[in-house]
């Protein structure tokens, strides 16, 4: 068994009458990328800040890299990398100056020049931070989070404000890190990001960790029905479907069939189309519920319990 | 550059590391300061501008009792400007920049690293020391070159000059750090810092003769360090008879030292207890 990088048991946080966290249990083994999802105000940031040692908890136990974050000292901090959600930058300095400066805080930092290159800031290395775009500032944030060569990185919405290419570049940096056996706790609103990077995702809603699982399985996703859709056009218009299949009208006039056996359905449909003289099913697609669909359903369920 | 050491032998509070980081913080603070035109202007050039304007407008002399030499207005005005220039480069500048760093999350970011907090404060005080020193040199240089200010010749006066400088810089820097507690949002900083500082300059006799300040305002001014710094610097640059009129019969340099030393202790305690590393963070 691998040692847990993060261990939380019954972590609670109460502000007056409001319970921001209602007892969160979570173990993240060393070397795992774990993604925390949840709507705004669900308690994600509170939970992460408790683990980072910025906030105190009102109940439960927490251990991060073998220490209670309450008593985290400088030696413990030296093993953490934190990319906060939105923080001001040192506007008058250049990315390379800030990264070099932060490197001096750590006992065993990475090479600042290399880190600036890794996050894709080579072209802007000597520009003042105040002249950088939102996405470029986010890259500086990431550089400052990894410069200390941490064992555990907290990434709070790391790609907000980045274009698709920039996001892929950041993902590449994160993958590089995890390939070295580092642990990552990623908070994000982009579900594709969680799907791309994380081995497991956890969904926090109203202060509770409602579900934890792999992105493929969470919320019963692998057991959910698939949807086969196509356009009944040309020779297929108005023709009754083969025996045993029933479709409903979906978006843009597509016929949609919900099924647990999409392969069988498609085989039946191709034979049916051929019998009407069509060898193509127009606009054929098979979709499974996206992580986003599952996630939105969980949030809806929590608001209107069955 | 850093020497790579293994994490196992990492001693965060080793004196060498603290000294190195304090020095590094001071350098980075200076670099940020001199790259921010508005900071350079407000904390640095504004007092210089005052010296030029006031010394140009008020060209008269201060007449003493019969038989003593008159004192040029600039000779009276410049020591006060040196004192207030130090307050500007320490108290006002730090209160504003530290609160900005608090509210924009820069302190939050730094506190997530193994940087010792003492090194952060050392960098701020290092910045205040260097900018105060430059400010004093600049004001004095302009005073001597353009307005005929005479420098003292007795070594003891230069010793007092240096002592008031170090006591003033240290206590006003710490006071500025403590004062950030009263600043609730980053953008309100100038509004919370400047008015009390401006009022204090008037009632401490920076812009006018201290004898012209009404008695009850003198009592208020005597509570704060500025009045005493002004008094200390006037002792350095002015003859004894001025004190007869202005400071009730003598420069009372021992009192100046006593009050500034007390302020050093008080502002250290205030900074220790009132400063918040994470503003807007609970717990």
């Amino acid at each position: 068994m691998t040692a847990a990088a993060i261990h939380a048991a019954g972590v609670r946080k109460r502000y007056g009458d409001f319970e921001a966290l209602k007892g969160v249990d979570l173990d993240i083994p060393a070397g795992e990328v774990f993604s925390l999802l949840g709507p705004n105000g669900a308690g994600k940031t509170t939970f992460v800040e408790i683990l980072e040692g910025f906030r105190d908890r009102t109940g439960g136990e927490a251990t991060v890299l073998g220490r209670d974050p309450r008593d985290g000292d400088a030696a413990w901090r030296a093993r953490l990398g934190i990319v906060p959600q939105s923080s001001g930058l040192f506007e008058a300095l250049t990315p390379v100056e800030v990264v070099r400066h932060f490197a001096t805080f750590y006992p065993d930092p990475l090479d600042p020049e290399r880190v600036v290159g890794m996050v894709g800031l080579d072209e802007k290395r000597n520009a003042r931070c105040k002249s950088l775009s939102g996405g470029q500032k986010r890259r500086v944030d990431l550089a400052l989070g990894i410069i200390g060569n941490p064992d555990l990185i907290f990434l709070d919405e790391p790609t907000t404000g980045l274009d698709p290419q920039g996001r892929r570049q950041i993902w590449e940096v994160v993958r590089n890190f995890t390939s070295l056996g580092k642990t990552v706790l990623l908070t994000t609103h982009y579900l594709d990001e969680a799907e791309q990077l994380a081995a497991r995702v956890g969904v926090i809603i109203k202060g509770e960790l409602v579900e934890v699982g792999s992105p493929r399985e969470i919320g019963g996703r692998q057991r959910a029905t698939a949807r086969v859709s196509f356009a009944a056009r040309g020779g297929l218009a108005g023709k009754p479907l083969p025996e045993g299949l029933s479709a409903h009208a979906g978006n843009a006039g597509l016929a949609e069939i919900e099924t647990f056996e999409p392969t069988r359905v498609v085989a039946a449909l191709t034979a049916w189309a051929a019998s009407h003289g069509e060898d193509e099913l127009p606009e054929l697609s098979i979709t499974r519920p996206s992580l986003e669909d599952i996630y939105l359903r969980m949030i809806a369920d929590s608001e209107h319990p069955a | 550059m850093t020497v790579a050491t293994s994490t196992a032998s990492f001693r965060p509070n080793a004196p060498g590391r603290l000294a190195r980081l304090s020095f590094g913080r001071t350098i980075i603070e200076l670099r940020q300061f001199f790259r921010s035109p508005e900071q350079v202007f407000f904390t640095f050039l504004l007092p210089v501008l005052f010296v030029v304007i006031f010394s140009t407008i008020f060209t008269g002399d201060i007449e003493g009792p019969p038989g003593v030499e008159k004192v040029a207005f600039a000779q009276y005005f410049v020591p006060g400007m040196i004192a207030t220039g130090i307050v500007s480069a320490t108290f006002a500048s730090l209160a504003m920049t530290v609160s900005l760093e608090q509210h924009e999350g820069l302190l939050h970011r730094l506190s997530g690293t193994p940087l010792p907090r003492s090194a952060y404060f050392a960098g701020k005080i290092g910045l205040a020391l260097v900018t105060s020193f430059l400010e004093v040199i600049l004001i004095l240089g302009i005073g001597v070159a353009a307005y005929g200010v005479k420098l003292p010749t007795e070594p003891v006066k230069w010793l007092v000059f240096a002592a008031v400088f170090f006591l003033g810089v240290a206590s006003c820097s710490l006071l500025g750090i403590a004062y950030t507690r009263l600043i609730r949002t980053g953008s309100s900083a100038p509004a919370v810092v400047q008015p009390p500082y401006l009022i204090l300059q008037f009632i401490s006799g920076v812009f006018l003769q201290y004898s012209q300040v009404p008695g009850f305002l003198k009592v208020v001014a005597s509570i704060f360090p500025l009045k005493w710094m002004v008094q200390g610097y006037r002792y350095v640059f002015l003859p004894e008879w001025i004190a007869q009129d202005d400071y009730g019969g003598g420069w009372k340099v021992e009192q100046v030292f006593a009050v500034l030393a007390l302020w050093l202790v008080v502002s250290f305690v205030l900074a220790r207890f009132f400063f918040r590393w994470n503003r807007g963070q609970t717990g």
Side-chain angles (χ1 to χ4, degrees):
Chain A
M1 190 191 137
T2 12
I6 292 175
H7 166 73
V11 168
R12 288 174 181 279
K13 179 72 183 181
R14 174 185 283 284
Y15 300 109
D17 284 340
F18 174 66
E19 256 203 318
L21 292 175
K22 300 168 185 163
V24 174
D25 301 310
L26 179 65
D27 279 279
I28 302 177
E32 182 177 302
V33 181
F34 188 91
S35 178
L36 212 48
L37 306 176
N40 288 332
K44 291 186 309 273
T45 303
T46 301
F47 182 56
V48 170
E49 289 196 343
I50 285 171
L51 299 176
E52 291 167 344
F54 284 137
R55 278 176 207 244
D56 205 359
R57 57 188 186 271
T58 42
E61 281 178 30
T63 315
V64 173
L65 296 177
R67 293 201 67 147
D68 188 327
R70 267 178 190 158
D71 337 304
D73 57 4
W76 176 74
R77 290 230 162 267
R79 298 177 61 205
L80 299 186
I82 297 174
V83 178
Q85 199 175 107
S86 62
S87 262
L89 265 181
F90 300 85
E91 305 268 294
L93 302 175
T94 70
V96 90
E97 284 171 336
V98 186
V99 175
R100 254 188 223 143
H101 179 57
F102 272 62
T104 65
F105 304 165
Y106 294 90
D108 189 17
L110 299 173
D111 174 30
E113 315 287 329
R114 226 188 80 216
V115 168
V116 169
M118 265 165 76
V119 299
L121 277 174
D122 264 333
E123 278 170 39
K124 290 284 175 185
R125 57 200 308 281
N126 292 320
R128 301 275 166 87
C129 284
K130 70 172 153 210
S131 73
L132 300 181
S133 70
Q136 288 161 342
K137 286 182 177 166
R138 213 66 195 112
R139 291 162 193 255
V140 180
D141 289 339
L142 182 66
L144 296 180
I146 64 176
I147 184 64
N149 195 14
D151 295 326
L152 167 61
I153 311 169
F154 292 96
L155 295 173
D156 202 349
E157 300 183 17
T159 61
T160 304
L162 285 162
D163 56 23
Q165 191 201 348
R167 297 179 66 203
R168 280 174 194 281
Q169 203 165 6
I170 299 294
W171 292 350
E172 209 42 54
V173 175
V174 175
R175 285 199 193 100
N176 265 334
F177 251 81
T178 52
S179 71
L180 299 171
K182 314 280 190 179
T183 313
V184 175
L185 179 54
L186 166 76
T187 322
T188 185
H189 277 304
Y190 297 122
L191 296 151
D192 59 327
E193 185 160 286
E195 219 164 357
Q196 283 284 333
L197 296 175
R200 284 191 304 158
V201 298
V203 178
I204 287 194
I205 296 174
K206 292 178 183 163
E208 281 175 290
L209 194 59
V210 294
E211 189 145 356
V212 175
S214 85
R216 280 185 293 116
E217 294 170 352
I218 193 152
R221 192 176 169 195
Q222 86 283 19
R223 297 186 306 270
T225 57
R227 173 184 295 159
V228 177
S229 67
F230 65 99
R233 273 204 305 263
L236 302 175
K239 299 289 187 312
L241 289 180
E243 182 88 22
L245 293 185
S246 70
H248 56 266
N251 274 343
L254 294 181
E256 294 182 348
I257 300 169
E258 300 290 335
T259 175
F260 288 104
E261 300 172 309
T263 317
R264 202 178 292 269
V265 167
V266 170
L269 284 175
T270 8
W272 167 74
S275 76
H276 293 290
E278 299 281 346
D279 41 9
E280 270 300 319
L281 283 163
E283 298 178 50
L284 172 69
S285 72
I286 305 171
T287 48
R288 289 186 180 273
S290 67
L291 183 54
E292 188 159 322
D293 297 332
I294 298 286
Y295 170 71
L296 292 174
R297 203 193 65 216
M298 281 185 198
I299 295 172
D301 287 353
S302 82
E303 267 149 27
H304 310 284
Chain B
M1 259 348 299
T2 38
V3 182
T5 47
S6 82
T7 315
S9 67
F10 180 48
R11 290 187 306 129
N13 293 314
R17 179 174 186 267
L18 279 178
R20 179 172 56 80
L21 288 174
S22 300
F23 182 72
R25 285 296 308 161
T26 304
I27 299 297
I28 218 87
E29 293 279 8
L30 283 167
R31 202 176 285 172
Q32 292 182 84
F33 179 88
F34 284 105
R35 281 184 194 169
S36 312
E38 62 289 348
Q39 273 202 61
V40 173
F41 179 76
F42 277 109
T43 69
F44 206 62
L45 296 183
L46 205 58
V48 171
L49 210 63
F50 274 130
V51 171
V52 173
I53 291 169
F54 274 76
S55 304
T56 309
I57 294 174
F58 302 104
T59 49
D61 296 324
I62 299 171
E63 305 269 352
V68 300
E69 212 180 326
K70 294 179 294 187
V71 170
F73 181 74
Q75 186 77 23
Y76 186 86
F77 183 65
V78 161
M81 284 314 297
I82 292 177
T84 201
I86 292 172
V87 176
S88 166
T90 55
F91 171 77
S93 174
L94 291 194
M96 287 195 278
T97 55
V98 171
S99 85
L100 204 71
E101 292 184 352
Q102 246 171 4
H103 293 284
E104 295 204 327
L106 292 172
L107 287 190
H108 181 70
R109 193 193 285 278
L110 286 173
S111 66
T113 74
L115 175 77
R117 296 181 176 202
S118 51
Y120 172 78
F121 294 117
K124 288 290 172 199
I125 292 174
L127 166 74
L129 259 178
V130 174
T131 50
S132 296
F133 184 74
L134 292 176
E135 176 117 39
V136 169
I137 299 287
L138 205 59
I139 292 174
L140 211 51
I142 292 171
V144 171
Y147 303 102
V149 171
K150 294 188 197 70
L151 296 177
T153 46
E154 306 96 307
V156 65
K157 291 207 158 181
W158 284 108
L159 280 178
V160 171
F161 187 105
V164 173
F165 177 81
F166 285 112
L167 281 171
V169 169
S171 55
C172 293
S173 297
L174 291 167
L175 206 54
I177 289 167
Y179 197 75
T180 55
R181 184 62 182 270
L182 300 179
I183 304 170
R184 294 185 182 279
T185 62
S187 52
S188 70
V192 182
V193 173
Q194 291 299 343
Y197 170 45
L198 197 68
I199 290 165
L200 216 50
Q201 290 182 70
F202 274 101
I203 68 174
S204 302
V206 170
F207 301 123
L208 39 96
Q209 261 186 280
Y210 192 59
S211 55
Q212 293 169 338
V213 177
F216 71 101
L217 288 180
K218 280 185 181 163
V219 174
V220 177
S222 302
I223 299 171
F224 298 99
L226 180 58
K227 180 256 177 188
W228 300 97
M229 291 163 67
V230 173
Q231 189 171 332
Y233 280 123
R234 293 212 165 127
Y235 156 77
V236 173
F237 287 89
L238 294 170
E240 193 67 28
W241 66 261
I242 293 265
Q244 296 298 329
D245 234 19
D246 269 0
Y247 292 99
W251 291 112
K252 299 176 194 145
V253 179
E254 321 72 49
Q255 220 170 323
V256 169
F257 285 143
V259 175
L260 289 181
L262 187 65
W263 262 110
L264 182 59
V265 176
V266 169
S267 40
F268 180 82
V269 173
L270 289 178
R272 183 82 185 70
F273 288 103
F274 282 124
F275 179 75
R276 284 285 171 274
W277 196 264
N278 284 328
R279 257 340 248 280
Q281 307 284 319
T282 36

